[in-house]
Amino acid sequence: MWPVPLRQLRLVTRVRIQRLYIASASTLLREQMHHRASMCFSRALLYLIYLLDPLVKGDYVIAYFHTLTSSPNHPSFAWLREVYNVLPYKYKKNLKAFYIIHPTFWTKMVTWWFTTFMAPAIKQKVHNLTGVEFLYSAMSPDQLEIPAFITEYDMSINGLRYFQPEAPT
């Protein structure tokens, strides 16, 4: 097994050379997770690095929508550990918050376990939010492009009055 810094360099170099031609990260992750038996998460990791590398030079926030994600689409502990170990220090240092919107009990449990025993340095940065409205207290709605199915799900579990945007003042 290669030392972590060399593996980081190889992955970042591979990202820059490969130039993944994928429409969105969610499409790639869904494809990878759906075909777990025959495909590995390495392409998803490469795409993650490709997307984040320009952003992590300064402070950044990640909003992960776990909305309607089924159990076959959950990444394994091994993959989470691999991602955490491979990502360079600047990714962890400059991460200001990681919001998980619509977490399941399993997601909350995995997150707690992972941040307690595998990645305690980011434990205070990970937040489970039961609805999109709670995310708006941390970031402006103008910064987000939330797909319709997420807002529909949010309204179905939290009620219609819950998800009413504030009137401009």
Side-chain angles (χ1 to χ4, degrees):
M1 188 162 212
W2 294 95
V4 173
L6 181 56
R7 290 180 66 211
Q8 291 169 357
L9 178 63
R10 290 177 63 213
L11 283 172
V12 171
T13 304
R14 206 168 138 199
V15 165
R16 292 185 179 133
I17 292 170
Q18 201 166 351
R19 295 286 183 199
L20 298 173
Y21 190 73
I22 305 295
S24 71
S26 62
T27 303
L28 176 64
L29 290 172
R30 193 176 9 217
E31 173 189 321
Q32 292 290 331
M33 292 177 198
H34 181 69
H35 298 96
R36 182 181 292 189
S38 61
M39 300 177 80
C40 68
F41 286 99
S42 62
R43 285 187 60 205
L45 177 57
L46 289 173
Y47 191 68
L48 180 68
I49 292 170
Y50 173 77
L51 288 176
L52 289 180
D53 206 53
L55 302 175
V56 299
K57 292 177 174 79
D59 295 348
Y60 70 102
V61 173
I62 293 178
Y64 166 65
F65 295 90
H66 192 71
T67 311
L68 302 174
T69 303
S70 59
S71 58
N73 293 334
H74 296 171
S76 67
F77 276 120
W79 189 77
L80 289 173
R81 186 175 54 241
E82 177 78 12
V83 168
Y84 187 76
N85 290 336
V86 166
L87 291 178
Y89 175 71
K90 68 180 180 179
Y91 284 68
K92 300 162 200 164
K93 180 183 144 253
N94 294 339
L95 175 67
K96 293 305 163 200
F98 188 97
Y99 297 105
I100 303 171
I101 299 87
H102 301 136
T104 59
F105 176 73
W106 174 252
T107 307
K108 290 176 188 178
M109 193 171 65
V110 167
T111 303
W112 176 83
W113 179 269
F114 182 75
T115 58
T116 301
F117 299 110
M118 296 180 181
I122 64 167
K123 186 172 182 83
Q124 301 304 317
K125 299 177 182 186
V126 178
H127 309 281
N128 291 303
L129 305 177
T130 56
V132 175
E133 186 72 19
F134 299 109
L135 183 61
Y136 292 155
S137 65
M139 56 183 20
S140 168
D142 299 339
Q143 293 178 297
L144 302 168
E145 291 183 28
I146 301 173
F149 81 92
I150 292 174
T151 54
E152 290 167 4
Y153 176 80
D154 202 57
M155 287 186 287
S156 72
I157 62 166
N158 294 311
L160 294 175
R161 292 188 61 217
Y162 162 81
F163 192 80
Q164 291 188 0
E166 295 179 17
T169 57

